[in-house]
Amino acid sequence: MKSVFVPFLCLVAVLFVTVSAIGPPKPLTCEQTQFLVKACLDFVTDKTTAPSISCCQGLNEVIVLSPTKEERLFVCKCLKEEGSQIPNLDQPKTLDCDR
């Protein structure tokens, strides 16, 4: 029993140190956000009628990496600023940061 307990305890200690060293993820930058949603451009400019799989995957990643309300507002405003520079943008398909 003792021969199993010591390696198990060492494994738990290593996992604890690894997890605590990683820490919480850093908030997304505007550039990272824009890169993740770049696949959505065809959809928001009416070139396609439905978002692509890569668009949805990028948006899901943005959602996961922006868990707090402040982070989501930052992402929304960043995308809204970028959207103002996109010709033929379909406004109803874009973000409303005030919701």
Side-chain angles (χ1 to χ4, degrees):
M1 176 81 169
K2 186 177 180 182
S3 62
V4 175
F5 182 71
V6 173
F8 176 74
L9 187 59
C10 289
L11 179 62
V12 170
V14 168
L15 287 173
F16 177 75
V17 169
T18 304
V19 170
S20 60
I22 294 172
K26 293 183 180 179
L28 286 174
T29 65
C30 226
E31 292 79 19
Q32 291 169 322
T33 302
Q34 291 166 357
F35 176 78
L36 288 170
V37 299
K38 191 172 187 168
C40 300
L41 283 177
D42 286 345
F43 177 64
V44 298
T45 57
D46 280 338
K47 291 181 183 173
T48 60
T49 57
S52 66
I53 291 172
S54 57
C55 170
C56 294
Q57 289 171 338
L59 288 175
N60 282 332
E61 196 165 340
V62 168
I63 291 167
V64 168
L65 295 173
S66 306
T68 68
K69 183 175 182 175
E70 292 80 20
E71 290 169 332
R72 289 189 304 269
L73 283 171
F74 171 79
V75 164
C76 188
K77 289 177 182 176
C78 171
L79 292 174
K80 204 169 191 179
E81 288 173 13
E82 178 70 15
S84 66
Q85 300 171 15
I86 299 172
N88 303 322
L89 184 67
D90 184 352
Q91 290 296 329
K93 291 181 182 175
T94 57
L95 300 167
D96 180 8
C97 295
D98 300 324
R99 285 193 275 168

